[in-house]
Amino acid sequence: MTMLDKLREIVGETQVLEGADTAAWQSDWIGKYKGLPLAVVRPGSTDEVSRIMAWAHDTGTPVVPVGGNTGLSGGTYADGALVLSLARMNAIRELRTEARIAIVEAGVVLSTLHEAAEAEGLVFPMSFGAKGSCMIGGMLATNAGGSNVVRYGNTRALCLGLEVVLPDGEVLELMSELHKDNSGYDLKDLFIGAEGTLGVITGAVLKLAPKPRAYATAMVAAPALADALVLLNRLQEATGGAVEAFEYMPAAYVDAHMAKIAGARAPFATRHEVNILVEVGATAARDAALGEDGSVPIVGYLEEVLAGLMEDGAVLDAVIAQNDAQRAEMWERREAAAEVTLDRQPLVNNDIAVPLDKVAVFLERMAEVLPQVDAGAESLCVAHLGDGNIHYAVVPTDADLIDPVMEAVEDVVQDLGGSFSAEHGIGLSKKPSMARRKDAVALRVMGQIKAALDPKRIMNPGKVLP
């Protein structure tokens, strides 16, 4: 019996792939990290995952759990390791509308959950460009963010319970449906954001929310980012905290989008430096009911706030979507960010977070600092302005300048009390940043947790911890 014959006994002959059949798992999504896996195994149940991990533990075989493989930090690099694909574990076990929860397996694709929730008049309020291929397990493993964090929080905030297979094959049953439970350490949060380095997430209890009855969506031009925050705060007050998204796209990004995407149009007749996509969602009937003139109250709130800010000079221009097609066009502009940005090489792909009132300060400082490091570097950014998350991409003139540029960004971020990683995870690409910037005591505690749960270091080895 070969090493892999035992895996075939567990999952079946056709669910263990080798050689050329592993091509889909030999590279990350952006093609930066490439390697040949030992094999790819595709379990169909938690029991099969448990048996696979028990085998891996006994044999000392490194294991890399993989969902939709849409990550941007090299977290699924698996040269010489066993790839454990969760794609077959794609059942929505339950969707309970009264409790507003979904009990799902790790391989459920995000858009599939969106569709199932919408059919019940609910939403799973996490969304981003890769929604058609990313999977729930990967989202949890990276604590993914997205465009609706300003209202609903990131993935961690949307999870009540987890099912996790530990490195030795034991199943950790944390599938709580409770909103309150103070019975000891919150073990669930150890695994959310751990990127598969502590165990394999196989299932989750997720929060659902009422589907907004109506949306008010607009592109807004502001004189400066400080004015955009005034808009955000006014809208939150006027709508009772119903702002679903607040996305910043500078003029340079809009130009790049139109150059890259066929048929793309400018958001305004005049070019503006500060462009904001804002969306407000109304869940109350009173805010969504059509008036006799066809007006919608939530749209009226948005118009009223924008009109007041125009009078004050805090808004220069605004276009409110009049139909679903116009709303979709506005969202396509923002969700095309990866396509617009990530094919540029060499690339420093920063995913940073700073306090909300420091976003403008960060960009101003980087405009001064970047030319000192690389006079010819080009920067391009978009931001989840409502939660302070900036995707600040830099194309240096030379690949040798990647690390100096990254460190310059880290210097400014640290000085502003921010984080070098907001929503994309650490993987391989941000391990140097972890070594340079993470508190030494925090790193030591993380290492102790890793050693306690995975003493053989077989779980996604070489990732996250420096």
Side-chain angles (χ1 to χ4, degrees):
M1 179 178 289
T2 69
M3 283 183 66
L4 300 182
D5 285 338
K6 180 60 178 179
L7 295 180
R8 294 186 177 93
E9 279 187 5
I10 296 171
V11 297
E13 186 74 26
T14 61
Q15 303 306 331
V16 178
L17 309 178
E18 297 181 78
D21 292 335
T22 69
W25 294 270
Q26 291 177 18
S27 172
D28 66 328
W29 184 66
I30 59 176
K32 181 177 181 180
Y33 298 100
K34 300 178 181 180
L36 180 64
L38 170 69
V40 175
V41 59
R42 302 187 295 186
S45 69
T46 300
D47 178 67
E48 290 183 357
V49 174
S50 174
R51 293 166 64 193
I52 291 166
M53 289 311 308
W55 169 87
H57 185 264
D58 289 343
T59 59
T61 303
V63 176
V64 178
V66 177
N69 200 21
T70 60
L72 299 176
S73 300
T76 58
Y77 174 72
D79 190 47
L82 178 70
V83 168
L84 199 160
S85 168
L86 281 300
R88 291 180 61 223
M89 295 182 61
N90 57 10
I92 298 175
R93 297 175 185 169
E94 292 185 69
L95 200 155
R96 303 220 302 272
T97 57
E98 295 303 316
R100 290 179 179 167
I101 61 172
I103 302 174
V104 304
E105 293 181 338
V108 171
V109 173
L110 177 56
S111 61
T112 301
L113 181 55
H114 285 168
E115 293 164 3
E118 187 171 356
E120 300 296 332
L122 299 169
V123 293
F124 178 63
M126 176 60 64
S127 186
F128 40 81
K131 60 191 173 186
S133 52
C134 71
M135 296 177 188
I136 298 301
M139 288 175 50
L140 288 160
T142 55
N143 189 29
S147 300
N148 301 133
V149 170
V150 63
R151 184 170 190 180
Y152 301 102
N154 56 18
T155 303
R156 177 176 277 114
L158 298 173
C159 181
L160 291 174
L162 284 185
E163 178 182 79
V164 181
V165 178
L166 298 177
D168 63 359
E170 282 194 299
V171 179
L172 182 58
E173 174 54 69
L174 302 171
M175 292 289 276
S176 173
E177 300 171 15
L178 303 176
H179 290 261
K180 289 184 176 181
D181 183 357
N182 278 337
S183 56
Y185 300 150
D186 190 350
L187 298 176
K188 161 179 64 75
D189 278 348
L190 275 180
F191 298 93
I192 298 175
E195 301 183 42
T197 61
L198 300 179
V200 184
I201 295 172
T202 52
V205 182
L206 302 175
K207 298 179 187 177
L208 303 177
K211 178 178 170 56
R213 299 169 185 260
Y215 292 101
T217 309
M219 288 297 303
V220 180
L225 280 176
D227 298 302
L229 283 183
V230 173
L231 168 61
L232 173 61
N233 293 333
R234 294 263 187 100
L235 277 174
Q236 294 286 37
E237 292 166 5
T239 63
V243 175
E244 298 250 330
F246 202 75
E247 302 291 304
Y248 167 54
M249 291 168 279
Y253 172 79
V254 173
D255 294 343
H257 175 257
M258 288 192 295
K260 176 76 173 180
I261 306 299
R265 300 187 301 170
F268 305 103
T270 301
R271 186 178 186 271
H272 296 286
E273 287 299 321
V274 178
N275 306 279
I276 307 293
L277 167 62
V278 58
E279 182 158 276
V280 184
T283 57
R286 65 178 180 275
D287 295 331
L290 282 173
E292 292 182 2
D293 60 352
S295 63
V296 180
I298 193 70
V299 177
Y301 301 154
L302 179 58
E303 291 174 340
E304 183 179 340
V305 171
L306 291 175
L309 290 173
M310 279 185 172
E311 290 182 6
D312 297 340
V315 166
L316 301 175
D317 202 350
V319 176
I320 298 177
Q322 301 300 310
N323 51 53
D324 288 343
Q326 291 180 7
R327 177 181 177 234
E329 181 182 20
M330 292 176 181
W331 271 110
E332 188 282 330
R333 181 180 296 116
R334 173 60 184 85
E335 291 186 337
E339 187 176 354
V340 170
T341 305
L342 294 179
D343 63 350
R344 303 178 182 214
Q345 295 298 327
L347 183 70
V348 184
N349 184 30
N350 293 286
D351 162 45
I352 62 102
V354 295
L356 298 192
D357 58 350
K358 298 293 195 299
V359 173
V361 178
F362 168 81
L363 295 173
E364 289 165 4
R365 289 196 187 176
M366 285 310 305
E368 298 174 358
V369 170
L370 185 59
Q372 297 172 16
V373 180
D374 183 355
E378 176 190 358
S379 67
L380 193 66
C381 80
V382 293
H384 302 300
L385 189 58
D387 59 47
N389 177 192
I390 309 168
H391 298 295
Y392 183 76
V394 177
V395 183
T397 55
D398 191 296
D400 290 340
L401 292 172
I402 288 176
D403 286 342
V405 168
M406 182 75 81
E407 292 195 48
V409 171
E410 291 171 10
D411 285 340
V412 176
V413 169
Q414 184 167 294
D415 188 54
L416 296 176
S419 170
F420 57 83
S421 179
E423 65 179 8
H424 290 166
I426 303 301
L428 289 174
S429 66
K430 295 177 189 173
K431 282 177 61 180
S433 301
M434 285 284 279
R436 289 190 294 259
R437 306 294 174 171
K438 196 68 178 177
D439 176 76
V441 177
L443 284 176
R444 188 183 75 236
V445 172
M446 290 180 194
Q448 291 169 341
I449 292 170
K450 170 72 170 175
L453 293 178
D454 182 21
K456 291 191 174 183
R457 298 187 175 275
I458 62 170
M459 290 304 313
N460 207 5
K463 315 295 169 49
V464 181
L465 296 178

